[in-house]
Amino acid sequence: MKESYDKKVALVTGSSRGIGAFTVKEFAKNNYNVVINYVNSEDEALSLKEEVERLYKVEALVVKADVSKEEEVKKLIDVTYKEFKRIDVIVNNAGIAIDTTLEDKTVDNFKKIIDINLIGTFLVCKYGGEVMLNQGFGSIVNISSTNGIDSFYPYSMDYDASKAGVISLTHNFAKLYAPKVRVNSIAPGWVNTEMNKELDEEYIKEECEHILLERFAEPQEIAEFIYYIGTQALYVNDAIIKVDGGRC
Ligand code: NAD
């Protein structure tokens, strides 16, 4: 039996960059073996694997899978379980946004957002949860958004709808999987990642005026909270927690 079967395992979807990559590092730093999932960016995923294995002496498995495709999600869960024989934490992080005016919104783009953000989370909760229920323990953290709780920006109504759906999935899976598996969601506000790289300085300044802490979050701050909810907050279940610096 591999020595590393004793180590806990965290699988983070969409983790070759952004919040996902920081989350992988946070788990690895805390001695978890990690699964790095990517869909296009193989080089970034492999370089993250090299970094966490070198720095933290854990094993990192890199798996290409599009979370919106059922067969690929099944494979992601299967290869993870075959490699490590356990899955302690799953972070449903993969997500996209396509912000446009109402005139430019298309049904195809709306469906793409729903497929990745909502159906992807559903599929990973379904197949990952099956493994967790069989092993008798586990914890799932779904990444929603404050946009899934309130509506601030009509140009992201499709994204907002998908993230509201993630909150609903969280409540439903928490009920289905209790008491063996905890299912929670965090709802970040603005975070400094590639997702927001198109925002201009003026817009960022205006947005910061609506944040009590007067700044965007750093992805590391979100990763630390994901780790806490996923592994330390053992009496927190079925919760939706804003991590937004306080909105005003
Ligand atoms: P990001 O664009 O840097 O990361 C998103 C990741 O998801 C990328 O690695 C991307 O390749 C991956 N991905 C996209 N489609 C995928 C698919 N079909 N299968 C697998 N992976 C896929 O953005 P981020 O800011 O790091 O976002 C991470 C999560 O946090 C997303 O769910 C996002 O909606 C959420 N979020 C972000 C913010 C923010 O301000 N950045 C705020 C609230 C919530």
Side-chain angles (χ1 to χ4, degrees):
M1 188 158 163
K2 276 211 288 187
E3 197 187 310
S4 65
Y5 289 161
D6 293 342
K7 269 201 177 78
K8 291 181 178 173
V9 175
L11 184 165
V12 184
T13 66
S15 47
S16 60
R17 70 177 203 192
I19 294 169
F22 278 86
T23 304
V24 160
K25 288 188 223 177
E26 189 61 26
F27 275 92
K29 193 168 85 189
N30 284 285
N31 205 31
Y32 274 67
N33 285 331
V34 286
V35 182
I36 301 164
N37 158 243
Y38 74 98
V39 68
N40 290 317
S41 319
E42 186 178 23
D43 288 351
E44 286 173 329
L46 290 173
S47 127
L48 180 60
K49 170 185 165 75
E50 187 279 321
E51 182 184 341
V52 296
E53 289 188 337
R54 178 172 42 80
L55 288 178
Y56 305 117
K57 312 293 174 229
V58 297
E59 268 186 63
L61 177 68
V62 171
V63 186
K64 178 177 166 78
D66 178 338
V67 296
S68 67
K69 304 213 166 97
E70 187 162 14
E71 288 312 311
E72 296 188 25
V73 171
K74 280 189 189 169
K75 190 197 85 183
L76 169 66
I77 300 299
D78 278 359
V79 299
T80 299
Y81 191 72
K82 277 202 185 91
E83 179 70 16
F84 294 123
K85 302 285 180 277
R86 61 192 291 166
I87 309 177
D88 296 79
V89 183
I90 290 176
V91 182
N92 274 303
N93 167 78
I96 61 163
I98 310 173
D99 293 351
T100 65
T101 59
L102 180 58
E103 294 70 40
D104 288 340
K105 289 212 178 290
T106 63
V107 170
D108 278 353
N109 279 349
F110 205 124
K111 283 184 175 162
K112 195 170 169 197
I113 293 166
I114 295 291
D115 279 350
I116 295 172
N117 298 6
L118 184 58
I119 309 286
T121 300
F122 162 72
L123 290 171
V124 178
C125 283
K126 178 175 176 187
Y127 292 107
E130 222 169 75
V131 168
M132 288 178 164
L133 286 178
N134 285 337
Q135 71 189 7
F137 59 86
S139 165
I140 298 176
V141 183
N142 294 326
I143 311 305
S144 177
S145 163
T146 45
N147 286 29
I149 299 172
D150 292 312
S151 301
F152 308 111
Y153 320 100
Y155 50 75
S156 64
M157 60 172 69
D158 32 22
Y159 175 83
D160 297 10
S162 74
K163 292 298 185 178
V166 167
I167 289 173
S168 170
L169 285 182
T170 301
H171 290 313
N172 283 296
F173 276 110
K175 284 172 183 68
L176 267 179
Y177 290 172
K180 289 182 180 167
V181 177
R182 293 185 303 117
V183 185
N184 292 294
S185 179
I186 71 155
W190 289 112
V191 187
N192 276 323
T193 66
E194 290 277 308
M195 192 173 257
N196 299 321
K197 69 174 191 292
E198 307 288 329
L199 302 180
D200 63 52
E201 296 268 314
E202 196 49 39
Y203 185 84
I204 293 175
K205 210 169 139 238
E206 278 167 28
E207 283 302 306
C208 286
E209 285 167 13
H210 298 289
I211 302 169
L212 291 173
L213 294 183
E214 299 175 354
R215 63 175 178 85
F216 285 14
E218 293 306 323
Q220 174 62 21
E221 294 175 297
I222 305 298
E224 284 168 11
F225 197 70
I226 292 170
Y227 177 77
Y228 173 73
I229 293 299
T231 69
Q232 307 297 297
L234 299 182
Y235 201 64
V236 176
N237 192 23
D238 193 15
I240 314 298
I241 304 168
K242 284 191 204 177
V243 190
D244 65 351
R247 179 96 188 168
C248 54

